[in-house]
Amino acid sequence: MKRRPGSVFEVVCAFLTLSCCFGFYLPGLAPVSFCGEESDDCKKEIQLFVNRLDSVESVLPYEYDVFDFCQDAQELRPSENLGQVLFGERIETSPYKFALYKNKECEKVCTKSYDVSKPEEKSKLDFLKKGIQLNYQHHWIVDNMPVTWCYNVEDGQKYCNPGFPIGCFVDGNGHPKDACVISAQFNGKNTYYMFNHVDITITYHSGEEEGWRGARLVSATLEPRSYKHEDENKPLCDGEPMSISGDPNSNAKITYTYSVRFEKNNQIKWASRWDYILVSMPHTNIQWFSIMNSLVIVLFLSGMVAMIMLRTLHKDIARYNQVDQEDAQEESGWKQVHGDVFRPPRRGMLLSIFLGQGTQIFIMTFITLFLACLGFLSPANRGALMTCAVVLWVLLGTPAGYVSARMYKTFGGEKWKTNVLLTALLCPGIVFADFFIMNLILWVEGSSAAIPFGTLIAILALWFGISVPLTFAGAYFGFKKKAIEHPVRTNQIPRQIPEQSFFTKPLPGIVMGGILPFGCIFIQLFFILNSIWSHQMYYMFGFLFLVFIILLITCSEATMLLCYFHLCAEDYHWWWRSFLTSSFTAFYLLVYAVHYFFSKLQIIGMASTILYFGYTMIMVLIFFLFTGTIGFFACFWFVSKIYSVVKVD
């Protein structure tokens, strides 16, 4: 049957996509107007902010001042939220300050001289060369908007990069690296070329005809240049590029300059000023189709799984209820284990702890993605995504404690103090220990991503001061309620499990169970890993939310189907298996992350490698708890449902 145009499916997809691409300012970042003179509703000076520098060849970001660039005499740091601190963003003012409508040509900022006979200056120059060789990128901000470097790529398309390199390197064989390929002037062997000049273009929307004063900035772009200024007091932005010899005993002198030009464009609205950046993201047009195609395939497969499962069960239950009890037991195997199917699992304490933590992560993820779809957690609102996730996790300790305690009581456990303590401390403790070790490495390397000691204390205060008490409160209500009642009684003597075929043994079923859920996320996973490790902007929260819903459905249906097959084989050990079947998707996530590291990234250095896999293990653990919890509760509902429908004693 053809789906008619304008169906509910299309409307939902269109709403989610548009709300994420064009709804950044709906929740409310207020526009700022700039005028030729200062007033209450208008700013005169346009301040350029600088953020941390990062590289695709290193996981270690560094602050702007570490590279000894020109600094602001009155350096100020705007207040940063928790998410910005955790992501290592270090925003500060720069000496680049502009007045609206006033164009400037080859304006000097400062001059830096390096005498290699002085150890301190030699160390600074060596660090600058290392940054050029690793292709570290500037990230500048004007009016809360990234200053982009736009250039043409394949097929005449324009790509706008929210960063630009500090320089480039030509090796001893004369092979240019990175940005040195853009010009034949970069031809010296074993030479570093510094981008010490930028041509900045600021586009504004005038309010003359719209009832508000001044102008609002709608784009900021630049072109990095390299010029060797012979006279630092009278710089001329032409001639040879600014080169630094690869000889460690050579001195260097760098003069930094800039040009700024203002352009009026009333066709671009302030609310849509991010569009030119998002539209130019690499492979975006192709991936829209690929993601939708993946969603349709996963929906089709999920529908097939549901149809096969429901038709088989309906036929099986109907036939069982129409014949005598003895005949039914001879016909089918899943009914013969009704006296053992709700037998408490081994290590029920650990399973209940995982379920509590998984519930906490699931609710946190759902609310975070929903808010992101509404535009509250857009890239324009820096650090909001991580801040929201951390705050939600802290406040959701009550559901974690409640679910863990309730399930542990259902399993017949009696060590309630141990249960609640481990629920509050085990998984968060593993994550914090991993995070702390990674932070020590960042601190030793002098990276800006190292979390300050005060912030670590604040995180511990949130954990022990809010999350742990809320977990205890949830556990109190969970233990206070009676255990979940099962539809059938459990026999005193366990039934012997017959010899299983290869496909109904635990390990093959668990390995197969994670394939389908991983198939619905690997495209989005590529974009997510790119945004984390390749420093690309992620904004497709609408499609991510749809993939999230599809992942829930797929994990549930795959787990229920395999659980049914195992029960038919008279294997009633489904508790742990239902959790591990869907959580094995995390293993495929780990394999994909390893593949991504070796095939897509250019990361070098032991510290960067350890950091990559250290943070990856945190992601894998969170995904393990999340998917396992979804599969378990889907299977728990499924088993309770089928054994409550049939007439078993």
Side-chain angles (χ1 to χ4, degrees):
M1 182 179 67
K2 293 184 178 180
R3 181 167 47 82
R4 63 182 179 84
S7 65
V8 175
F9 179 80
E10 288 180 334
V11 173
V12 172
C13 289
F15 171 75
L16 291 178
T17 305
L18 290 174
S19 65
C20 296
C21 292
F22 306 106
F24 286 140
Y25 296 96
L26 283 176
L29 292 176
V32 177
S33 296
F34 294 90
C35 300
E37 56 185 16
E38 192 80 21
S39 63
D40 294 337
D41 58 347
C42 221
K43 287 186 176 182
K44 178 181 179 181
E45 185 178 71
I46 300 175
Q47 173 68 65
L48 188 146
F49 291 87
V50 291
N51 202 345
R52 66 177 188 176
L53 286 86
D54 51 39
S55 168
V56 295
E57 299 182 24
S58 175
V59 178
L60 302 169
Y62 290 100
E63 288 193 51
Y64 177 83
D65 294 345
V66 175
F67 287 94
D68 195 38
F69 295 124
C70 301
Q71 299 179 13
D72 188 11
Q74 300 175 344
E75 185 175 295
L76 298 174
R77 291 181 180 269
S79 59
E80 297 172 340
N81 56 42
L82 180 60
Q84 289 177 289
V85 176
L86 293 178
F87 271 128
E89 292 196 18
R90 298 293 184 268
I91 300 176
E92 59 190 68
T93 56
S94 75
Y96 299 89
K97 299 178 175 65
F98 319 121
L100 189 66
Y101 312 132
K102 293 184 179 180
N103 299 335
K104 291 186 177 181
E105 290 292 335
C106 208
E107 186 79 8
K108 177 185 174 183
V109 183
C110 74
T111 299
K112 295 287 184 177
S113 299
Y114 301 97
D115 185 354
V116 295
S117 62
K118 299 179 181 179
E120 183 178 354
E121 294 186 8
K122 184 179 187 302
S123 176
K124 291 180 179 179
L125 181 60
D126 290 341
F127 191 80
L128 185 62
K129 291 180 179 179
K130 181 182 177 182
I132 294 175
Q133 195 164 11
L134 292 177
N135 195 28
Y136 269 83
Q137 306 268 323
H138 284 283
H139 293 280
W140 290 1
I141 304 168
V142 167
D143 190 27
N144 198 42
M145 183 175 53
V147 182
T148 58
W149 176 29
C150 297
Y151 51 88
N152 294 326
V153 291
E154 298 177 356
D155 301 328
Q157 296 180 350
K158 179 175 287 188
Y159 172 58
C160 292
N161 186 5
F164 67 96
I166 62 178
C168 61
F169 176 65
V170 179
D171 62 21
N173 297 321
H175 296 149
K177 290 183 59 180
D178 303 317
C180 277
V181 300
I182 64 177
S183 175
Q185 287 186 307
F186 303 130
N187 53 14
K189 294 183 179 180
N190 191 26
T191 304
Y192 299 87
Y193 291 96
M194 189 75 186
F195 291 134
N196 59 327
H197 176 85
V198 287
D199 289 328
I200 303 173
T201 302
I202 298 178
T203 307
Y204 63 91
H205 184 110
S206 177
E208 297 174 355
E209 301 176 357
E210 301 190 22
W212 44 270
R213 293 186 59 208
R216 293 174 180 174
L217 309 187
V218 293
S219 75
T221 60
L222 60 76
E223 287 282 343
R225 308 283 188 184
S226 180
Y227 296 122
K228 187 175 183 179
H229 302 295
E230 300 294 342
D231 187 352
E232 62 177 274
N233 296 318
K234 296 180 180 179
L236 299 174
C237 294
D238 56 13
E240 298 180 359
M242 178 64 220
S243 60
I244 303 175
S245 174
D247 183 359
N249 297 318
S250 296
N251 297 332
K253 185 177 182 181
I254 307 171
T255 299
Y256 293 91
T257 57
Y258 74 92
S259 299
V260 62
R261 180 165 52 94
F262 290 89
E263 292 183 353
K264 179 181 177 181
N265 188 337
N266 282 0
Q267 301 301 317
I268 304 176
K269 300 296 183 182
W270 186 87
S272 59
R273 62 181 187 162
W274 283 70
D275 292 357
Y276 80 99
I277 304 175
L278 304 182
V279 169
S280 69
M281 298 303 288
H283 310 297
T284 300
N285 295 331
I286 298 175
Q287 291 304 330
W288 289 131
F289 174 77
S290 299
I291 292 170
M292 291 304 301
N293 188 48
S294 176
L295 292 178
V296 171
I297 292 175
V298 171
L299 282 173
F300 173 75
L301 293 175
S302 301
M304 292 296 294
V305 170
M307 183 182 67
I308 293 172
M309 183 177 58
L310 292 176
R311 288 188 62 182
T312 303
L313 278 177
H314 182 270
K315 184 178 179 180
D316 212 356
I317 292 173
R319 182 170 57 209
Y320 175 77
N321 289 332
Q322 290 174 2
V323 297
D324 295 335
Q325 179 80 6
E326 295 181 0
D327 296 336
Q329 290 183 349
E330 292 176 0
E331 286 183 349
S332 181
W334 68 271
K335 296 178 288 293
Q336 298 184 29
V337 296
H338 66 83
D340 298 276
V341 73
F342 289 107
R343 190 176 301 280
R346 297 176 182 178
R347 298 181 179 86
M349 170 86 75
L350 183 61
L351 180 58
S352 64
I353 292 168
F354 284 171
L355 293 174
Q357 283 295 322
T359 302
Q360 187 176 11
I361 294 170
F362 166 71
I363 301 175
M364 175 200 74
T365 306
F366 180 83
I367 297 176
T368 301
L369 288 180
F370 182 75
L371 293 176
C373 282
L374 297 179
F376 287 97
L377 309 180
S378 71
N381 199 358
R382 303 176 188 276
L385 186 69
M386 178 60 76
T387 302
C388 178
V390 172
V391 171
L392 283 174
W393 182 87
V394 169
L395 297 178
L396 289 170
T398 302
Y402 178 84
V403 170
S404 177
R406 190 84 190 278
M407 294 307 302
Y408 183 62
K409 189 173 183 179
T410 301
F411 296 154
E414 297 178 353
K415 299 179 180 179
W416 63 271
K417 293 181 181 179
T418 306
N419 173 262
V420 67
L421 281 173
L422 290 178
T423 302
L425 302 177
L426 179 61
C427 295
I430 295 173
V431 172
F432 184 81
D434 189 330
F435 183 78
F436 183 75
I437 294 173
M438 298 301 104
N439 197 64
L440 285 179
I441 296 175
L442 291 169
W443 178 73
V444 171
E445 295 291 333
S447 172
S448 66
I451 307 301
F453 180 75
T455 304
L456 286 176
I457 297 299
I459 293 174
L460 289 174
L462 290 173
W463 180 14
F464 288 99
I466 300 177
S467 180
V468 172
L470 289 177
T471 304
F472 275 71
Y476 169 78
F477 291 107
F479 280 114
K480 192 174 181 181
K481 297 197 69 172
K482 63 180 181 179
I484 301 174
E485 295 183 359
H486 302 309
V488 291
R489 296 191 300 269
T490 301
N491 297 334
Q492 293 184 352
I493 302 176
R495 179 186 178 89
Q496 185 177 0
I497 300 174
E499 184 69 21
Q500 300 292 303
S501 65
F502 175 78
F503 293 102
T504 57
K505 288 182 179 179
L507 186 58
I510 291 172
V511 171
M512 291 187 296
I515 295 177
L516 189 59
F518 179 76
C520 77
I521 67 168
F522 78 94
I523 293 179
Q524 282 293 329
L525 186 61
F526 173 78
F527 282 102
I528 293 172
L529 292 179
N530 268 349
S531 68
I532 296 174
W533 304 115
S534 296
H535 314 294
Q536 295 182 9
M537 196 174 298
Y538 188 87
Y539 65 98
M540 296 179 291
F541 294 109
F543 283 115
L544 182 61
F545 188 75
L546 289 177
V547 171
F548 173 78
I549 299 299
I550 298 302
L551 177 64
L552 300 184
I553 298 172
T554 311
C555 284
S556 303
E557 292 180 345
T559 306
M560 289 188 289
L561 183 62
L562 290 172
C563 179
Y564 173 71
F565 290 155
H566 293 137
L567 292 177
C568 287
E570 300 182 25
D571 185 352
Y572 51 83
H573 294 309
W574 62 273
W575 297 97
W576 270 106
R577 189 175 297 172
S578 64
F579 183 90
L580 295 175
T581 296
S582 56
S583 66
F584 202 76
T585 310
F587 174 77
Y588 294 110
L589 170 62
L590 176 61
V591 172
Y592 186 82
V594 173
H595 166 74
Y596 181 85
F597 177 82
F598 288 105
S599 64
K600 302 295 182 182
L601 296 182
Q602 306 169 0
I603 290 178
I604 57 177
M606 181 61 69
S608 294
T609 303
I610 295 174
L611 288 168
Y612 177 86
F613 286 103
Y615 288 128
T616 297
M617 293 310 298
I618 295 178
M619 295 168 54
V620 169
L621 175 61
I622 292 174
F623 200 72
F624 169 82
L625 297 171
F626 165 71
T627 52
T629 301
I630 298 303
F632 175 87
F633 282 115
C635 200
F636 183 76
W637 170 86
F638 170 74
V639 173
S640 300
K641 194 70 174 177
I642 64 173
Y643 282 97
S644 64
V645 172
V646 298
K647 302 173 183 176
V648 293
D649 296 327

